[in-house]
Amino acid sequence: MTVLHPTLSRTLLPAHSRARDLALIVGGAAFVAVLAQGSIPLQPVPLTLQTLGVLLVGAALGWKRAFAALALYVAAGAAGLPVYAGGSSGFLNPAGTGLRASLGYLIGFPFAAALVGFLVERFALDRRFLGTALAMLAGNVVIYLFGLPVLGALTGLEEQALLTAGLTPFLLGDTLKLLLAATLLPGLWAVLRR
């Protein structure tokens, strides 16, 4: 795919090198890990800022580096580093009672970030409020497309109960995070244009 519009990272750091790409990937994973530590322990899945990080990393790094950054983040947590919400790690429930309810959401993160990165590189959606909001909404949809089916499979919740447990509690927070990103990213581009 031809990149039609540079991302923030490519604009700020135009010199291409493997070392720069690696630093951006590791930095993106670390950024999401830091935001994941701010969480409200809802059940069965906590409310965190990590999805904001996922979507911002997608917009800032572009689809390839964003996918790699979030794959690294998920792999680091799976390997035991305390990078998931509340300093947790691993794919097993912290209580040791099977797979964690957030597993599907975690698996969806690289794909959501890649989609946002693709939309930014292809259509420059991060330059304006509405475009950024649409890109962030698309990324959130991807996270739920992975998260809800896995949550249902792990908990046995039926459709309505699944939506009540795995979607509804997060809609207000996701809306606020979307509005924050839709204000922040075009604002950064406005500063860069000056």
Side-chain angles (χ1 to χ4, degrees):
M1 179 201 83
T2 303
V3 173
L4 300 177
H5 303 281
T7 60
L8 279 169
S9 64
R10 194 166 299 278
T11 301
L12 293 171
L13 302 165
H16 179 73
S17 75
R18 288 181 196 229
R20 182 207 61 172
D21 286 347
L22 182 59
L24 289 171
I25 290 166
V26 171
F31 179 68
V32 174
V34 168
L35 289 184
Q37 303 320 305
S39 68
I40 298 171
L42 298 177
Q43 292 299 326
V45 178
L47 174 64
T48 72
L49 293 175
Q50 81 192 103
T51 55
L52 174 63
V54 168
L55 303 175
L56 288 175
V57 165
L61 299 186
W63 80 268
K64 288 180 185 176
R65 288 188 304 275
F67 185 90
L70 272 298
L72 175 62
Y73 169 76
V74 172
L81 294 177
V83 296
Y84 296 158
S88 65
S89 64
F91 285 157
L92 296 179
N93 185 317
T97 58
L99 293 172
R100 67 171 52 240
S102 58
L103 177 62
Y105 300 92
L106 292 167
I107 293 169
F109 286 172
F111 298 97
L115 175 61
V116 172
F118 170 80
L119 293 172
V120 164
E121 289 177 321
R122 187 75 174 159
F123 304 107
L125 291 186
D126 62 335
R127 281 22 175 223
R128 301 217 186 290
F129 181 88
L130 182 58
T132 304
L134 290 173
M136 300 296 137
L137 179 61
N140 272 316
V141 167
V142 169
I143 292 170
Y144 286 113
L145 286 175
F146 279 86
L148 288 171
V150 174
L151 179 62
L154 293 176
T155 62
L157 293 173
E158 295 296 328
E159 185 176 321
Q160 189 58 44
L162 179 61
L163 294 177
T164 300
L167 175 66
T168 307
F170 306 105
L171 292 178
L172 176 60
D174 285 345
T175 301
L176 293 174
K177 290 181 270 187
L178 183 146
L179 293 173
L180 177 61
T183 303
L184 181 65
L185 288 170
L188 287 171
W189 278 109
V191 168
L192 288 174
R193 280 192 292 270
R194 290 185 200 137

